[in-house]
Amino acid sequence: MSGFTLNVNGGNWSSVYGAYSPKGGDVTGNKVYIQGGTVGGEVFGGSADISGNVRDNEVHIEDGNVNHNIIGGYSINGNSEHNTVTINGGTIDYPSGYGSQIYGGRSNRGDAENNTVTISGGAINPNPASSLKIYGGFTNGNGKKAKGNDVTIGGNASFADTGNLDVYGGYAYSSDSSDTEASGNTVTIEKDAT
């Protein structure tokens, strides 16, 4: 699935996807723009269940309200590469009872490479009972790579002082002794971010 664009300018939405493949297949080049309204669930630029890689998917938040996690590209078994989340405005409110996460790209069993999160505006309010975790790229796959991912926080971004804020350029988790790799990832915090 490729080349879809979803514009959210108002109304109330549950979860939002640029594109979603429930039965396998790559998900590439899809975009979500949130410029108003309220999204009560998660936001995905692109998502692939079962199998399939996710590449070059984008989430842009410019206004409105989002009340859950934000993921540029998410794959269960494939790789997550070159996906982006850009937040320039709006309000991100995380509800109680849920974790608070932003991922440029995430893979549960593949590599996460060259994904990006850029936050230059907006108000982000984590769930007070949990940490807000921001990942450029995240893999949960044994022996897999989180490589070349980037997080930049600056401009007029504002984070509520309600809990811990954890920022990772890249994160590679292994549940066994597999040789995972986290390399070439960057975090930049600049300008007037609070």
Side-chain angles (χ1 to χ4, degrees):
M1 303 183 72
S2 64
F4 292 96
T5 299
L6 174 63
N7 293 294
V8 177
N9 297 307
N12 292 291
W13 300 65
S14 55
S15 292
V16 168
Y17 297 80
Y20 171 56
S21 176
K23 297 182 179 179
D26 293 347
V27 177
T28 60
N30 304 286
K31 301 177 181 179
V32 173
Y33 292 90
I34 298 177
Q35 299 164 318
T38 298
V39 179
E42 293 180 300
V43 178
F44 298 86
S47 178
D49 282 355
I50 310 301
S51 64
N53 302 308
V54 291
R55 297 189 182 98
D56 299 310
N57 301 287
E58 303 175 17
V59 173
H60 300 268
I61 299 176
E62 300 170 9
D63 203 348
N65 295 276
V66 176
N67 301 135
H68 218 307
N69 299 324
I70 302 164
I71 307 172
Y74 177 55
S75 178
I76 298 294
N77 291 301
N79 298 325
S80 182
E81 302 169 333
H82 296 280
N83 304 288
T84 63
V85 170
T86 303
I87 301 173
N88 296 320
T91 301
I92 318 298
D93 286 313
Y94 290 95
S96 62
Y98 293 91
S100 308
Q101 290 101 29
I102 298 170
Y103 301 90
R106 172 174 175 155
S107 175
N108 280 7
R109 299 182 183 90
D111 297 322
E113 299 190 67
N114 301 304
N115 302 287
T116 303
V117 173
T118 302
I119 303 174
S120 59
I124 300 175
N125 305 312
N127 173 4
S130 68
S131 299
L132 170 63
K133 299 181 185 295
I134 300 172
Y135 304 90
F138 175 97
T139 177
N140 202 34
N142 295 330
K144 298 301 181 179
K145 299 186 292 292
K147 188 174 180 181
N149 304 287
D150 177 76
V151 176
T152 300
I153 300 172
N156 294 314
S158 176
F159 297 85
D161 187 18
T162 57
N164 294 328
L165 171 60
D166 300 329
V167 183
Y168 305 89
Y171 192 109
Y173 174 79
S174 175
S175 63
D176 60 18
S177 58
S178 299
D179 188 17
T180 56
E181 176 186 347
S183 64
N185 304 288
T186 61
V187 172
T188 303
I189 299 175
E190 60 186 6
K191 298 182 180 176
D192 295 325
T194 57

